[in-house]
Amino acid sequence: MAKFSWRKAAVVAAVVPLVALSACSSQGGKPADNGGAAAAGQVASTDRIKVALITHAAAGDTFWDIVRKGAEEASAKDNVELLYTSDPEAGRQAQLVQQAIDQKVDGIAVTLATPDALKDVLKKATDAGIPVVSLNAGESVSKQLGAFTHFGSNEQLAGEAVGTRLASEGYKHPVCVIQQQGHVGLEARCAGVKAKVPATEILYVDGKDMTAVQSTATAKLQAAKDADVIIGLGAPITLTLLKSVTDAGSSSKVASFDLNADLAQKIVDGAVIFTVDQQPWLQGYMSVDSLWQAKRGGFKIGGGQPVLTGPTIVDKTNASDVLKFAQQGVR
């Protein structure tokens, strides 16, 4: 398949014990990592600043632990107090942005999975002189909503990469599973697959309920006897789809987007044929670091354009190498 490339960003990884990290919201991922990433290095000599990272993370989704780990390492290096909160419900995510504005933070990094719900509050942030960057979702609307850059994978391109790979291997009837209807990034992924494999079907599931995901996907595979590959759009979803394939007695193969250590192991073992990694550690790290750079010297990383962190394909040929980084929580 064609080799995809993206803009390279220099990432400095001198890490010191983390201090003064805020607690995650009740909907967010793991507790704050206070000191687990200690290494030789020196904190930036610039004045301490406060940065809010606000995502649409759902409870239990390990993807966001990786994003947060990158943000924590950048915060430690840059003398940043990181305020991490998250909520998968768009209205509550907007409230978290407002909370950050009220706290007079020095910068906001935010995901734009549901951009219409955030446009008004982000205007308040930029009107207040708070620099904003976006990450992970919402690349196409990031600039319109006031962000000076976006860190993430082009989801249409990522979907097309998957579709091209599947077509080259002879798959004709994929089922693309979307765990959050209306999420612009997830919809773009499946649209990209369908652009390359027109017979692709979309299956919507409730990503907050893995039991329901498993049963819905099982029923689909039992009904769609011609389905030859089912695609999860996140590692926890894909790992659940493996159970659905077994429950349905289906011969369908399993492909994925995103990554964690368990999924990397499944690729090594041959249970999942490949995944497309958007390298979320970089998204968290670069979002925080770019806001520090903006404060430090008025720098605008990206020159007004998105900075791509993917797509990169992980398959049997490189999964063993990636696995060791996934086990460290950075892939």
Side-chain angles (χ1 to χ4, degrees), residues 126-320:
T126 55
D127 286 349
I130 301 173
V132 174
V133 299
S134 62
L135 67 151
N136 179 257
E139 175 196 348
S140 63
V141 296
S142 172
K143 194 170 185 177
Q144 297 169 237
L145 270 60
F148 69 78
T149 196
H150 174 86
F151 299 101
S153 181
N154 182 302
E155 301 294 15
Q156 180 77 23
L157 179 62
E160 290 176 7
V162 169
T164 299
R165 176 69 174 256
L166 293 176
S168 72
E169 295 184 4
Y171 295 99
K172 299 182 185 300
H173 297 98
V175 175
C176 194
V177 181
I178 296 178
Q179 69 266 30
Q180 183 181 346
Q181 191 165 0
H183 183 306
V184 293
L186 302 182
E187 299 282 353
R189 286 179 173 184
C190 287
V193 176
K194 192 173 181 65
K196 298 298 182 180
V197 189
T200 299
E201 290 189 62
I202 310 300
L203 176 66
Y204 290 102
V205 298
D206 180 2
K208 299 187 296 295
D209 184 346
M210 286 301 175
T211 300
V213 171
Q214 184 174 342
S215 61
T216 303
T218 298
K220 178 62 178 177
L221 291 171
Q222 289 171 335
K225 299 297 185 183
D226 60 348
D228 49 12
V229 60
I230 189 165
I231 308 162
L233 302 189
I237 299 294
T238 301
L239 294 169
T240 299
L241 295 180
L242 286 169
K243 300 175 185 177
S244 297
V245 170
T246 300
D247 291 348
S250 172
S251 60
S252 177
K253 300 298 183 182
V254 178
S256 188
F257 288 76
D258 299 335
L259 190 67
N260 64 16
D262 290 337
L263 182 59
Q265 186 65 60
K266 292 296 184 183
I267 297 171
V268 170
D269 296 342
V272 175
I273 53 179
F274 67 85
T275 192
V276 175
D277 184 19
Q278 60 178 298
Q279 301 180 119
W281 186 95
L282 287 177
Q283 294 174 15
Y285 187 101
M286 294 167 71
S287 294
V288 171
D289 195 53
S290 67
L291 289 166
W292 174 75
Q293 296 283 3
K295 185 75 172 179
R296 174 69 180 87
F299 302 115
K300 303 296 184 187
I301 293 175
Q305 300 298 317
V307 178
L308 300 186
T309 63
T312 181
I313 285 186
V314 179
D315 59 15
K316 191 81 169 177
T317 66
N318 60 353
S320 293

Side-chain angles (χ1 to χ4, degrees), residues 64-97:
W64 298 102
D65 292 342
I66 304 171
V67 172
R68 186 172 177 181
K69 190 176 184 71
E72 288 171 347
E73 291 200 24
S75 298
K77 176 185 73 70
D78 293 338
N79 196 21
V80 167
E81 179 184 358
L82 179 66
L83 307 178
Y84 177 84
T85 54
S86 63
D87 201 299
E89 199 283 312
R92 289 195 291 268
Q93 189 188 9
Q95 291 172 5
L96 293 175
V97 176

Side-chain angles (χ1 to χ4, degrees), residues 22-35:
S22 75
C24 172
S25 76
S26 61
Q27 293 294 329
K30 67 182 181 63
D33 183 0
N34 291 312

